[in-house]
């Protein structure tokens, strides 16, 4: 993430916090005081702790399995969401339904000399492995679930091109449970897998800005919101 993107993310999250303070409830942005981290992250004012408690139970609504079950055989499902948004929980549901699940974190662990899923130096070879496995699964006609953030348009464009090359339906799943939910889940991760605050904000803003209209224009066959 470049400096400009980081600053844009900071500005966007500060706006979210200001909305909450003003009483706007279009998302749960506040972080409970017990889990709030230090740094540039804005103090959000009144916290929606009751709503946070309600939403922290399950990472993904129970109907995600039904959604995945209803997709065409051979569909390519691309998860889009920040760290802690529920993508990997949905991946478990997809795997149970017979989908081939390709997880960037798992691939990063496999290629990392430290066997560490949070080893960012292993991201480039992990992405190469992901794309190769994605192409292999598409070629075999398998239903595929891609478990990675995919919050950048140019990344999604490459995946869409791969799916279209094999004549596959490509479906976007947007994971937007609320920024504070992602923050709390991220804080609970082991140190090596914890995403820096500004990167998490950037991911969340990227996922939120990938609207249905944007994703359909990019070439997705269908878009579904989760969370």
């Amino acid at each position: 993430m470049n400096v400009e993107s980081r600053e844009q993310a900071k500005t966007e999250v500060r706006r979210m916090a200001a909305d909450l303070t003003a009483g706007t409830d279009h998302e749960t942005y506040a972080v409970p005081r017990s889990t709030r981290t230090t740094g540039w992250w804005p103090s959000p004012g009144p916290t929606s702790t009751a709503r946070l408690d309600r939403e922290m139970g399950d990472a993904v609504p129970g109907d995600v399995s039904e959604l995945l079950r209803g997709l065409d055989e051979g569909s390519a499902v691309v998860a889009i969401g920040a760290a802690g948004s529920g993508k990997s929980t949905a991946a478990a549901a997809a795997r149970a339904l017979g989908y081939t699940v390709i997880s960037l974190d798992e691939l990063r662990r496999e290629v990392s000399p430290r066997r560490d899923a949070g080893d960012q130096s292993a991201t480039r070879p992990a992405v190469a492995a992901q794309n190769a496995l994605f192409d292999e699964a598409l070629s075999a006609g398998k239903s595929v679930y891609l478990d990675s953030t995919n919050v950048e348009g140019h990344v999604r464009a490459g995946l869409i091109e791969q799916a279209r090359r094999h004549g596959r339906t490509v479906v976007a799943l947007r994971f937007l449970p609320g920024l504070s939910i992602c923050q709390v889940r991220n804080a609970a991760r082991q140190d090596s897998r914890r995403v820096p605050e500004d990167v998490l904000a950037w991911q969340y803003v990227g996922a939120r800005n990938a609207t249905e209209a944007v994703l359909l224009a990019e070439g997705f066959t269908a878009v579904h919101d989760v969370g």
Side-chain angles (χ1 to χ4, degrees):
M1 181 175 62
N2 59 35
V3 174
E4 182 180 0
S5 296
R6 183 179 292 111
E7 290 305 315
Q8 288 174 346
K10 291 180 183 181
T11 299
E12 184 74 1
V13 174
R14 289 191 179 105
R15 184 193 64 75
M16 293 175 184
D19 284 348
L20 182 67
T21 302
T24 304
D25 193 31
H26 52 79
E27 283 286 3
T28 304
Y29 297 129
V31 184
R33 187 173 301 279
S34 60
T35 58
R36 191 178 306 154
T37 52
T38 59
W40 65 266
W41 208 269
S43 177
T47 57
S48 301
T49 52
R51 183 175 175 185
L52 183 64
D53 289 341
R54 290 197 305 272
E55 295 185 7
M56 277 302 293
D58 294 324
V60 178
D63 61 357
V64 70
S65 292
E66 195 63 33
L67 189 158
L68 291 168
R69 189 179 290 111
L71 298 180
D72 294 338
E73 183 73 22
S75 291
V77 179
V78 177
I80 301 170
S85 60
K87 302 181 304 298
S88 296
T89 302
R95 186 176 281 112
L97 292 171
Y99 280 73
T100 295
V101 174
I102 303 173
S103 166
L104 187 60
D105 279 353
E106 291 176 5
L107 291 171
R108 194 183 287 115
R109 181 184 295 109
E110 288 181 14
V111 303
S112 167
R114 304 196 302 267
R115 305 293 291 177
D116 182 0
D119 181 3
Q120 294 305 306
S121 68
T123 296
R124 187 182 294 272
V127 169
Q130 170 195 265
N131 292 342
L133 289 171
F134 189 47
D135 198 70
E136 180 182 310
L138 292 169
S139 179
K142 298 177 179 179
S143 296
V144 190
Y145 180 99
L146 203 59
D147 181 12
S148 43
T149 57
N150 303 310
V151 297
E152 296 179 275
H154 72 90
V155 172
R156 297 191 296 267
L159 301 174
I160 292 168
E161 181 182 355
Q162 280 186 274
R164 282 185 162 179
R165 194 162 59 240
H166 293 282
R168 300 298 170 194
T169 298
V170 57
V171 178
L173 292 190
R174 296 172 73 234
F175 291 80
L176 291 170
L179 178 58
S180 59
I181 304 296
C182 298
Q183 290 173 323
V184 173
R185 291 177 185 149
N186 183 55
R189 291 180 170 190
Q190 63 185 47
D191 290 348
S192 65
R193 293 196 61 230
R194 193 172 300 130
V195 176
E197 293 175 341
D198 55 347
V199 176
L200 180 63
W202 171 77
Q203 291 175 347
Y204 187 85
V205 170
R208 195 171 68 93
N209 290 343
T211 63
E212 180 179 9
V214 167
L215 294 172
L216 291 175
E218 288 178 355
F220 282 96
T221 308
V223 180
H224 300 278
D225 285 348
V226 181

